[in-house]
Amino acid sequence: MTDLLLRNVRPMGGPATDILVLDGRIAAPGPAPAGIPVEDGQGMLLLPGFVEGHTHLDKTTFHEADWLVNTVGPRIIDKIDHEREWRARTGHDAGAASLAMARAFLAAGTTRIRSHVDVDTEAGTRHVERVLETRAAMQGVQEIQIVAFPQSGVLGRQGTEAALDAALAMGADIVGGLDPCAIERDPVRHLDIVFGLAEKHAKPVDIHLHEQGSMGAFSLELILERTRALGMQGKVVVSHAFCLGDIPERERDALLVQMAALGVAIATTAPPSRPVPLVAPCLAAGLTIFGGNDGIRDTWTPYGSPDMLERAMLVGLRNNFRRDDEIALAFDCVSAAGAAGCGFTAYGLDAGARADLVLVEARSLAEAVVARPTRKLVVTGGRVVARDGELLV
Amino acid sequence: MTDLLLRNVRPMGGPATDILVLDGRIAAPGPAPAGIPVEDGQGMLLLPGFVEGHTHLDKTTFHEADWLVNTVGPRIIDKIDHEREWRARTGHDAGAASLAMARAFLAAGTTRIRSHVDVDTEAGTRHVERVLETRAAMQGVQEIQIVAFPQSGVLGRQGTEAALDAALAMGADIVGGLDPCAIERDPVRHLDIVFGLAEKHAKPVDIHLHEQGSMGAFSLELILERTRALGMQGKVVVSHAFCLGDIPERERDALLVQMAALGVAIATTAPPSRPVPLVAPCLAAGLTIFGGNDGIRDTWTPYGSPDMLERAMLVGLRNNFRRDDEIALAFDCVSAAGAAGCGFTAYGLDAGARADLVLVEARSLAEAVVARPTRKLVVTGGRVVARDGELLV
C-alpha cells in the first residue's frame, strides 16, 4: 500500500516528468490522490533499481574489522582450496557477511540480486541457510535469488550432491554448477547431476564456466544439448563463459545463435584481464547478456564494490563502449537485461513495474555510468529506503 | 619555508609514526621546532603524492556545463579528425579545461603530472600557451610537465614541425610523437623530425605508439635505434606500446631487454579492452612502467577520473593483480615508478623528498587502491592544500 509522487525527475535522462507510485507499483500518469507523500526530484536523473546478476554475498569480508591480506595462488583451484581452508580456520559468518553486503547493495540502488552461495561437504547447507535468513531480513525491500553453488565441485567430494539437493529443498532457487571439464574432470557426469537436480526440483540452472577455448566451447555444447533435451529453454544461464572470448569468431557466433534459440543467457563480470564474451556480438545474435560483480572483497579478490554503476562502467570499458548509445548498453547489463536474464519480473520504469527507483545527479545516462554519483534517493516498492548513499531501513 | 609535523600516520600502511617536514621537505626523524604547525593523522594511511604519467589536460570537458554526447567513430583517425573539428566549432578553451583538471587532480592527491598538449596547424601553440599558464597558476603546489604533442600528425600538415619547435622554445618540456607508421605513413621521416627536435632543444621524447603487432614492434625498434644513436638513454618514454601486449612473448621479452638497457620507459593506461604491456614482464626485464589516465571526459572518451588510486585499481585489474604484494606494484605505477619514468625528482617518503603527502582512511595499501577512499588530507611541499577531497587553495 505504498504510494509516492516523485516530482520533476528525468527517466533515463529524458525530459523531466512526475512519476506516480500507487500500491508499490508505477502507475499510469494521472492525478495523484490527496495526501500522497511527495518527493521533489529536483530534475535529477531517474533510473530503475539496479540488478546484480552474479555475486557471492556469502563470501565477502566487506564487513570485517581487519583487512584480509591476500596471498593466494594464481589458479582457480588454489583459490577454491584456500577459501575452504580459510573459512574453516576463521569461522567465517556467511549470515553477517551476506546481510552487510545486501544492505550495501541496497544503499547503492540495487534492489535485485542473484547470489551464488557455497554448498560443499564442509559447509553443507549452512551458507544457504544463512543467506535465506538474509533474504528474509531484506524481504520487501530487496529481492534475492539464491543459487546452490558447488564451489568445491560435486564429483570429488562425496555428499555434495545430497547437500545441493537439501539446499534446493530448503529454498535455494537455482541449481549451480562448475567447470565440468577443468575442475570436475567428468563433464557428462557433472552436468547430468546438475540438470538432474534441476529436473527434480523444477528449478533453473546457472553454471560457472571459466573454461577457455575449445574445452570451454565443448562444455558449453554439452550444456546446450541438455537444455534442449530437457525443454529448459529460458531457464539456463552460463556465468563467465570465457571461452566465448577466445574461440574463433565464426565458432563463437554459431554458439551464440544456438544459445539465443534456447534462451540461454550469459552473466559476465567483464574482467579486464582476460578474454570475455563481448556484448555486441551477443546482442547481434539475440542473446541476453547481463552483468555482475562476482565476489567482492573476499578470499578470491580484494576488488569490487556493491555499486552496479561501477560494474556498468567496467562493462563499458571492457567492451570499449565510448558513444552514449553504447554506454546505454552497458547500463542495460545491470538493469533490464539483468532482470530478463535472471527472471526478475515487474521490472523497469513503465506503468505496472514495481517502483524500484534510483535518483542521481547526472546530466545523462552515460554520465551516471562514468561518474557513478552518490545515490541521492533509493526507492523500493514505492518506499524510500536510502538517501545520499545511506540506508534508512 | 613550510614546516609541518604530521603525527600518527602509517606510511604505506606500516607502523604508526610522525613525519616531520622542514622547509617543504621531509626531514630525518627528530625533535620538532617549537611552534611548528601540527596535523593529527589519527592513524591514517600515508602515501606519497600521486603521479599522473600520461594525460591530456587541455582536452577535457570535465569543467563544462553541458554533457558532451559522444557519437564518434571507432578508428583513431575518426577521433583525431572529430576532435579538431569539434574544437574549431566550439572554441574549446584549453586554459580553463587544463586548470580545472589540474585542480581536480590536486584535490585527489596528485602533485605531479605529465600532460601531452595538442600542437597542430589549427591550434598552433595555443594549447601549449594556455597549459603553460595553468602550470604557472599551479606553481608551488603541483608540478606539470608539458609534452608538445602532434595529435594530428606532423607529416600531413605543413607547419606542424615549426609549431612544435615554437612550443618547445616557449617552454614545453618534452617532444611528443605519434604512430610513425599507422598515422604518419613514413616512420623514418616522422622519427627523424621528433628526435631532431629533441636534439635541437636538448629535451626528452615521449611518443604515443598505439600501433599493434609487428607494425608496432617495428616502430618501436626504430625508436630504440634513435635512442641509442643519439645517446638519449633514460630520456625516452613510449606511451601505450600496445604492440608489447600482442606480439609473441619471446619477441616481446627481447624488446623489453633492449628497452631496459636504454632506459626507455613505458607509460600505460591499462585499458581493459585491448592488449597492453603487462607490468610483471616489464619489471622482470628491469624496465620502468608507469600509469596514466589518458584523456578524461573528452571527445575521445567519456571515462576517466582525476583519481590516480582509481587508475592504480584499473592497472591492478588489467594485470590480474590480486595479492597485496601485487597491488603494491599497481600503486607503484602511479607513484614512484611514475616519478622515475617522468623524471620528477625529490619524490617519495624518505628524508629529503619534497613533502607531497596524502592521507586516507585505509587499513592497508591494497585497501587504498581497491576502495579509493576520500583524500582526508593532501599536502604539497609541506603545505596543506586539500581536506576531505576539497581544495583549500
Side-chain angles (χ1 to χ4, degrees), chain B residues 242-314:
Chain B
F242 294 137
C243 60
L244 294 170
D246 68 359
I247 59 175
E249 285 190 11
R250 199 206 291 246
E251 294 173 31
R252 176 198 71 189
D253 289 344
L255 279 167
L256 293 180
V257 166
Q258 281 186 65
M259 293 174 79
L262 292 167
V264 173
I266 294 173
T268 184
T269 67
S273 62
R274 58 192 310 168
V276 295
L278 294 176
V279 172
C282 288
L283 297 183
L287 205 73
T288 298
I289 179 167
F290 60 96
N293 278 290
D294 212 340
I296 294 175
R297 305 215 194 136
D298 57 25
T299 62
W300 289 63
T301 176
Y303 298 97
S305 151
D307 180 359
M308 296 313 295
L309 288 179
E310 183 163 304
R311 184 55 45 184
M313 178 186 81
L314 290 168

Side-chain angles (χ1 to χ4, degrees), chain A residues 1-5 20-25 33-38 381-383:
Chain A
M1 292 283 281
T2 313
D3 298 343
L4 181 69
L5 179 62
L20 179 61
V21 176
L22 297 177
D23 202 13
R25 303 221 165 210
I36 191 171
V38 176
R383 177 175 168 200

Side-chain angles (χ1 to χ4, degrees), chain A residues 74-213:
Chain A
R75 298 170 309 163
I76 287 184
I77 194 70
D78 296 332
K79 296 178 172 67
I80 291 173
D81 290 342
H82 169 258
E83 179 180 52
R84 221 178 32 254
E85 179 277 318
W86 166 84
R87 210 166 59 193
R89 176 164 45 82
T90 62
H92 176 68
D93 179 350
S98 58
L99 185 60
M101 186 95 287
R103 288 174 58 83
F105 266 117
L106 186 63
T110 294
T111 56
R112 327 240 184 162
I113 296 174
R114 172 173 287 195
S115 178
H116 297 253
V117 180
D118 281 12
V119 173
D120 63 42
T121 49
E122 291 172 26
T125 58
R126 190 177 69 240
H127 283 218
V128 169
E129 292 162 40
R130 303 306 311 276
V131 180
L132 282 165
E133 291 168 18
T134 291
R135 169 157 84 182
M138 299 303 281
Q139 199 176 1
V141 294
Q142 191 176 52
E143 204 172 338
I144 298 175
Q145 292 179 344
I146 295 172
V147 184
F149 174 50
Q151 173 73 81
S152 294
V154 180
L155 303 181
R157 298 179 173 270
Q158 188 84 31
T160 307
E161 183 180 352
L164 290 169
D165 192 43
L168 292 160
M170 70 177 57
D173 308 282
I174 299 143
V175 189
L178 177 70
D179 292 340
C181 291
I183 300 286
E184 288 289 72
R185 326 297 296 174
D186 187 342
V188 166
R189 203 146 70 88
H190 176 76
L191 291 174
D192 284 350
I193 289 172
V194 167
F195 279 86
L197 286 166
E199 216 181 359
K200 176 178 173 186
H201 293 274
K203 290 184 173 175
V205 163
D206 189 335
I207 298 182
H208 277 67
L209 187 63
H210 307 95
E211 293 165 7
Q212 291 180 261

Side-chain angles (χ1 to χ4, degrees), chain B residues 136-272:
Chain B
M138 299 302 282
Q139 200 177 1
V141 294
Q142 190 177 51
E143 203 171 339
I144 299 175
Q145 292 179 343
I146 295 172
V147 183
F149 173 49
Q151 174 73 80
S152 294
V154 180
L155 302 181
R157 297 178 174 271
Q158 189 83 33
T160 307
E161 183 180 351
L164 289 170
D165 192 44
L168 292 160
M170 71 178 56
D173 308 283
I174 298 145
V175 189
L178 178 70
D179 292 339
C181 290
I183 299 286
E184 288 288 73
R185 324 299 294 175
D186 187 342
V188 165
R189 204 146 69 89
H190 176 75
L191 292 174
D192 284 350
I193 289 171
V194 168
F195 279 87
L197 287 167
E199 215 180 0
K200 174 177 174 188
H201 292 275
K203 290 185 173 175
V205 162
D206 189 334
I207 298 182
H208 277 66
L209 187 62
H210 307 95
E211 293 165 6
Q212 290 180 263
S214 49
M215 178 168 65
F218 167 64
S219 290
L220 183 50
E221 286 167 355
L222 297 184
I223 292 167
L224 299 185
E225 285 168 15
R226 280 156 183 77
T227 304
R228 189 182 293 109
L230 294 171
M232 285 187 64
Q233 284 84 347
K235 302 285 185 195
V236 175
V237 170
V238 179
S239 283
H240 303 310
F242 294 137
C243 60
L244 294 170
D246 68 359
I247 59 175
E249 285 190 11
R250 199 206 291 246
E251 294 173 31
R252 176 198 71 189
D253 289 344
L255 279 167
L256 293 180
V257 166
Q258 281 186 65
M259 293 174 79
L262 292 167
V264 173
I266 294 173
T268 184
T269 67

Side-chain angles (χ1 to χ4, degrees), chain A residues 64-72 79 272-273 297 300 302-303 310 313-314 316-318 320-324 327 363-364 366-367 370-372, chain B residues 64-72 79 272-273 297 300 302-303 310 313-314 316-318 320-324 327 363-364 366-367 370-372:
Chain A
E64 290 183 3
D66 293 329
W67 176 251
L68 176 68
V69 175
N70 186 310
T71 55
V72 77
K79 296 178 172 67
S273 61
R297 304 215 195 135
W300 288 64
Y303 299 98
E310 182 163 304
M313 178 186 82
L314 290 168
L317 284 169
R318 183 66 187 81
N320 199 20
F321 285 162
R322 299 186 182 209
R323 298 195 319 260
D324 286 54
I327 294 173
R363 292 163 291 181
S364 66
E367 185 178 26
V370 304
R372 302 148 279 148
Chain B
E64 291 184 2
D66 293 328
W67 176 251
L68 176 69
V69 176
N70 185 310
T71 56
V72 77
K79 296 176 172 68
S273 62
R297 305 215 194 136
W300 289 63
Y303 298 97
E310 183 163 304
M313 178 186 81
L314 290 168
L317 284 168
R318 183 65 188 83
N320 199 19
F321 285 161
R322 300 185 181 209
R323 299 194 318 260
D324 286 53
I327 293 174
R363 292 164 291 181
S364 66
E367 186 178 23
V370 304
R372 302 147 280 150

